[in-house]
Short mmCIF file of all heavy atoms in Angstrom, two decimals:
data_model
loop_
_atom_site.label_atom_id
_atom_site.label_comp_id
_atom_site.label_asym_id
_atom_site.label_seq_id
_atom_site.Cartn_x
_atom_site.Cartn_y
_atom_site.Cartn_z
N ALA V 78 -32.34 2.85 2.59
CA ALA V 78 -32.86 4.10 2.04
C ALA V 78 -32.23 5.32 2.70
O ALA V 78 -31.89 6.31 2.05
CB ALA V 78 -34.38 4.16 2.19
N ALA V 79 -32.04 5.25 4.03
CA ALA V 79 -31.43 6.38 4.75
C ALA V 79 -29.99 6.58 4.32
O ALA V 79 -29.53 7.72 4.16
CB ALA V 79 -31.52 6.14 6.25
N CYS V 80 -29.26 5.48 4.12
CA CYS V 80 -27.86 5.60 3.68
C CYS V 80 -27.79 6.19 2.27
O CYS V 80 -26.94 7.04 1.99
CB CYS V 80 -27.17 4.25 3.74
SG CYS V 80 -26.67 3.79 5.41
N MET V 81 -28.68 5.75 1.38
CA MET V 81 -28.67 6.31 0.02
C MET V 81 -29.02 7.79 0.04
O MET V 81 -28.42 8.59 -0.69
CB MET V 81 -29.66 5.55 -0.87
CG MET V 81 -29.11 4.24 -1.43
SD MET V 81 -27.57 4.42 -2.38
CE MET V 81 -28.06 5.60 -3.65
N ALA V 82 -29.96 8.18 0.90
CA ALA V 82 -30.32 9.60 1.01
C ALA V 82 -29.13 10.41 1.52
O ALA V 82 -28.85 11.51 1.03
CB ALA V 82 -31.52 9.77 1.95
N GLY V 83 -28.42 9.87 2.51
CA GLY V 83 -27.25 10.55 3.04
C GLY V 83 -26.14 10.67 2.01
O GLY V 83 -25.49 11.72 1.88
N LEU V 84 -25.91 9.59 1.26
CA LEU V 84 -24.89 9.62 0.22
C LEU V 84 -25.23 10.65 -0.85
O LEU V 84 -24.36 11.41 -1.30
CB LEU V 84 -24.77 8.24 -0.44
CG LEU V 84 -23.84 7.21 0.20
CD1 LEU V 84 -23.95 5.89 -0.55
CD2 LEU V 84 -22.40 7.70 0.23
N THR V 85 -26.50 10.67 -1.23
CA THR V 85 -26.93 11.61 -2.27
C THR V 85 -26.74 13.05 -1.81
O THR V 85 -26.19 13.89 -2.54
CB THR V 85 -28.40 11.36 -2.63
OG1 THR V 85 -28.54 10.01 -3.10
CG2 THR V 85 -28.88 12.32 -3.69
N ALA V 86 -27.16 13.34 -0.58
CA ALA V 86 -27.06 14.70 -0.06
C ALA V 86 -25.60 15.15 0.08
O ALA V 86 -25.29 16.33 -0.09
CB ALA V 86 -27.76 14.79 1.29
N ALA V 87 -24.71 14.20 0.35
CA ALA V 87 -23.30 14.55 0.58
C ALA V 87 -22.47 14.58 -0.70
O ALA V 87 -21.29 14.91 -0.65
CB ALA V 87 -22.69 13.54 1.55
N GLY V 88 -23.10 14.24 -1.82
CA GLY V 88 -22.35 14.17 -3.07
C GLY V 88 -21.59 12.87 -3.24
O GLY V 88 -20.77 12.72 -4.15
N GLY V 89 -21.89 11.90 -2.37
CA GLY V 89 -21.18 10.64 -2.39
C GLY V 89 -21.50 9.77 -3.59
O GLY V 89 -20.65 8.99 -4.04
#
Side-chain angles (χ1 to χ4, degrees):
C80 282
M81 278 303 302
L84 273 176
T85 301

